[in-house]
């Protein structure tokens, strides 16, 4: 295994044995994003059981809360094994609070290793490793309903079909609508929508709207939204048991401990994207970390999946929020790792497919989001983006736009990222040309990373395509050197 697949895609067994790979990459100008690649080798049945247990609240098990969550944000046995149909992403299943503490300790060691290996490293974390996924499902359901409620109010005011940042509600009309729905008294409603909260424009956009659900306001305590299935008004937030409250608190504490360690070690923390039924909550919790830790520079990077139909709205909203609140925007752009699983789940459970309809549409979305962020970087020297892509066209697009916008490699605002063992024909020339480029570096004992490697094997066609491309380039270079007589001389 060490001489074949493991040696191709995994850097080594522990922090010590990966040093040669890290140092070799550094010699060619390529940094590392460390990721401990170990995951449990569960059977599909075990994975399904753990998922169903950890994604259901006490209230739902008693039969009093299941109907309040939309189907997209409920656990479904047929999709309990979240590894199914997923190739590159590692998967965590909740076992206990002690196991989450163990994952946190692993992430802390990764951060320490990254900080010890270089002065500009990254470390990757997954929020499903740090707590009970039930909370991510519930919070995602809340955020999605809250956003949909905004768009319902926009439709009532005749404002549909606009981009997220262009949709603005007339506050006076909104207050009237909310009062008619019987959500709260008129006095309470007026207290929610004050000049202090919203400014003096008389309108409210989606960022203003999102701020109303913050814990800093009283609104979330008695907020209800229309249930489109029943036609009834229902509370957005279900009550937690004392144990669930403690579990949620511990999840937030683990995130805080990791961010503080990253700040101490000078390591950027990259929060990986996950399935769409977790992602609204993951993005929101990451945003809270950014508010706290991205004061002087981007320490926390959020991940945006550009195969999602709402990717552009998500990117533009977060860029605008960073502008308004004065923190430093940091993003990683990816195409996405869960497409087959997401499509099948949406079709079988019965909700709108969240994925762009074609590969071409995803490419267009990626370039649209990237272009928007690059434009922001031109005017904001503290914002950063990682172009995490194996697509040569995307790399060429980025380089061209950087040149047009006057963004230089030495500015270290635009990073490039590829997986270890893949697309070296992109990574190393970029690194040697002075661009900040990073390899995503998994490591761990051979037997413990086999689940990760077995899914990597499914990418074999993609790997071979990349290998064929590298072989073509090497052959072209060999022929050029033979022709010019420079076969045994290093190029100047």
């Amino acid at each position: 295994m060490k001489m074949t697949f493991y040696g191709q895609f995994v850097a080594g067994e522990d922090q010590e044995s990966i040093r040669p790979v890290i140092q070799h990459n550094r010699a060619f100008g390529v940094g590392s994003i460390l990721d401990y690649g170990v995951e449990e080798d569960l059977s599909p049945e075990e994975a399904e059981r753990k998922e169903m247990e950890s994604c259901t609240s006490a209230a739902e098990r008693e039969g009093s809360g299941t109907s309040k969550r939309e189907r997209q944000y409920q656990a479904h046995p047929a999709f309990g094994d979240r590894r199914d149909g997923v190739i590159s992403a590692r998967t965590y299943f909740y076992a206990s609070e002690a196991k989450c503490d163990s994952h946190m300790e692993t992430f802390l060691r990764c951060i320490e290793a990254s900080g010890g290996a270089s002065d500009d490293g990254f470390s990757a974390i997954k929020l499903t490793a740090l707590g009970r996924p039930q909370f991510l499902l519930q919070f995602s359901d809340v955020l999605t309903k809250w956003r949909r409620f905004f768009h319902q109010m926009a439709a009532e005011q005749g404002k549909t079909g606009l981009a997220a940042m262009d949709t603005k509600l007339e506050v006076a009309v909104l207050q009237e609508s909310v009062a008619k729905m019987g959500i709260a008294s008129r006095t309470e409603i007026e207290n929610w929508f004050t000049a202090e909260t919203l400014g003096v424009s008389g309108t409210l956009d989606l960022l203003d709207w999102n701020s109303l659900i913050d814990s800093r306001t009283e609104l979330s305590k008695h907020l209800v939204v229309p249930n489109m299935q029943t036609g009834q008004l229902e509370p957005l937030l279900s009550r937690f048991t004392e144990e669930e409250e403690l579990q949620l608190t511990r999840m937030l504490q683990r995130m805080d401990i990791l961010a503080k360690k990253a700040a101490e070690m000078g390591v950027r923390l990259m929060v990986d994207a996950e399935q769409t039924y977790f992602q609204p909550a993951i993005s929101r919790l990451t945003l809270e970390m950014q508010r706290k830790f991205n004061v002087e520079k981007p320490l926390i990077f959020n991940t945006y999946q550009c195969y999602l139909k709402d990717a552009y709205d998500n990117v533009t909203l977060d860029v605008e929020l960073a502008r308004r609140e004065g923190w430093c925007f940091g993003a990683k752009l990816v195409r996405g790792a869960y497409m087959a699983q997401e499509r099948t789940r949406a079709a079988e459970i019965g909700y709108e497919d969240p994925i762009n309809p074609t590969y071409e549409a995803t490419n267009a979305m990626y370039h649209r989001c990237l272009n928007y962020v690059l434009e922001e970087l031109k005017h904001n020297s503290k914002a950063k983006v990682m172009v995490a892509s194996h697509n040569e066209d995307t790399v060429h697009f980025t380089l061209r736009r950087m040149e047009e916008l006057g963004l230089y490699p030495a500015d270290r605002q635009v990073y490039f990222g590829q997986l270890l063992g893949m697309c070296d024909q992109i990574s190393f020339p970029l690194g040697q040309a002075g661009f900040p480029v990073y390899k995503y570096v998994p490591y761990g004992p051979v037997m413990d990373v086999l689940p990760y490697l077995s899914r990597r094997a499914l990418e074999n066609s993609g790997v071979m395509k990349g290998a064929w491309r590298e072989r073509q380039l090497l052959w072209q270079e060999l022929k050029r050197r033979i022709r010019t007589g420079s076969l045994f001389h290093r190029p100047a």
Side-chain angles (χ1 to χ4, degrees), residues 57-59 134-135 239-248:
S57 69
Q134 165 203 334
F135 306 122
R239 294 179 64 184
F240 290 153
T241 64
E242 189 173 337
E243 182 184 8
E244 287 171 341
E245 288 279 6
L246 287 171
Q247 289 171 343
L248 177 58

Side-chain angles (χ1 to χ4, degrees), residues 71-72 148 276 309-310 342-343 345-347 349-355:
R71 284 178 293 179
Q72 182 177 358
R148 189 177 300 144
T276 52
K309 293 174 181 174
D310 60 1
E342 294 277 11
R343 282 205 197 287
R345 190 178 190 270
I349 295 172
Y351 56 89
E352 183 187 351
D353 184 353
I355 308 294

Side-chain angles (χ1 to χ4, degrees), residues 116-144:
S118 70
D119 57 3
D120 61 349
F122 283 90
S123 192
I125 66 169
K126 266 189 163 59
L127 292 200
T128 48
L130 297 177
R132 192 179 175 92
Q134 165 203 334
F135 306 122
L136 298 176
L137 281 171
Q138 286 178 302
F139 194 26
S140 291
D141 185 48
V142 167
L143 293 168
T144 301

